[in-house]
Amino acid sequence: MREKTVCFSGHRPEKLPAQDGDESQLLMMIKSLLYYQIRRSAEEGYTRFITGLARGVDLWAAGYVLELKRDFPGLQLICVKPTDSHGKSFRGEDRYLFDSVLARADEMHCTGSRYTRNCYQTRNRYMVDHAQRLIAVVDDYNSGTGQTISYARKSGLELCVIDVGKLRKKAESEPDKPIIAPLQPDFKF
């Protein structure tokens, strides 16, 4: 069921701009662009959204999909865990969001029973193999997110890449100019 399905990839919070200090505005922009691209996908008729349930971008995206179900009742959230025990070590807000997302998900799949060196890559490939579009937030292309983007490109998915480094540079060079652009294949913010 690849058609009209979106999957997500992105960094954990510690690899993104801080939630306080000078970088907080950049993080708010990233979250806003993530929400914007998910909403835009729903408006374009995408109905299935796959999250890998990692802290940060994956859980934020899942939360946005759940919020959008009010405006788009046909949306489905599919969760894909890399291991049976994934999420058990989450604490605080991360644990609350993880439990809330799982409780409200339409489907849940697990790509491995226990942790292995490749379990996250296996999960990421599963998501790409079941999607038509990837929405990703990346600052480091030498990461699992970077590998997922590369695999999605080779697999022919439509790509919407929110590039944190480019956003940071643009925000520094044009602090008063908003950064919003239409979604298009292989578009990078």
Side-chain angles (χ1 to χ4, degrees):
M1 295 233 359
R2 286 183 91 146
E3 193 172 310
K4 296 301 179 184
T5 301
V6 175
C7 65
F8 304 110
S9 187
H11 299 306
R12 286 161 183 79
E14 55 273 13
K15 287 190 164 191
L16 292 168
Q19 291 192 34
D20 51 3
D22 293 338
E23 296 262 272
S24 65
Q25 292 292 331
L26 184 56
L27 183 61
M28 287 175 27
M29 186 184 309
I30 291 165
K31 287 181 174 183
S32 176
L33 287 168
L34 179 61
Y35 176 83
Y36 170 79
Q37 295 304 333
I38 295 168
R39 182 173 188 90
R40 185 108 187 229
S41 294
E43 289 170 349
E44 292 175 0
Y46 284 84
T47 56
R48 295 171 48 86
F49 294 82
I50 305 173
T51 179
L53 294 168
R55 293 172 38 256
V57 172
D58 284 6
L59 287 177
W60 299 336
Y64 296 149
V65 170
L66 292 171
E67 283 180 28
L68 287 169
K69 280 186 160 202
R70 286 178 282 181
D71 295 335
F72 303 90
L75 297 187
Q76 293 181 317
L77 180 64
I78 294 92
C79 296
V80 181
K81 292 170 61 173
T83 66
D84 288 332
S85 63
H86 180 76
K88 289 194 177 166
S89 65
F90 292 4
R91 300 285 177 255
E93 185 179 331
D94 292 327
R95 183 57 187 246
Y96 174 79
L97 187 53
F98 178 83
D99 289 342
S100 176
V101 165
L102 271 183
R104 297 168 59 198
D106 296 288
E107 294 178 29
M108 206 287 290
H109 303 275
C110 189
T111 56
S113 58
R114 61 181 177 79
Y115 178 82
T116 65
R117 196 170 61 101
N118 297 323
C119 66
Y120 292 101
Q121 183 182 36
T122 300
R123 184 234 12 229
N124 295 343
R125 286 178 175 255
Y126 176 92
M127 293 190 309
V128 168
D129 290 344
H130 289 84
Q132 184 178 6
R133 175 181 285 173
L134 169 69
I135 298 174
V137 177
V138 64
D139 196 17
D140 176 8
Y141 283 88
N142 294 318
S143 65
T145 298
Q147 291 172 4
T148 302
I149 292 167
S150 177
Y151 182 67
R153 181 174 282 118
K154 289 175 188 169
S155 298
L157 269 66
E158 298 172 20
L159 300 179
C160 176
V161 178
I162 300 167
D163 187 309
V164 177
K166 289 181 180 180
L167 277 176
R168 188 179 284 116
K169 286 178 187 172
K170 190 159 181 83
E172 289 169 359
S173 68
E174 302 176 38
D176 297 329
K177 190 173 181 182
I179 305 171
I180 298 288
L183 175 69
Q184 44 188 290
D186 276 4
F187 187 79
K188 293 185 181 180
F189 289 101

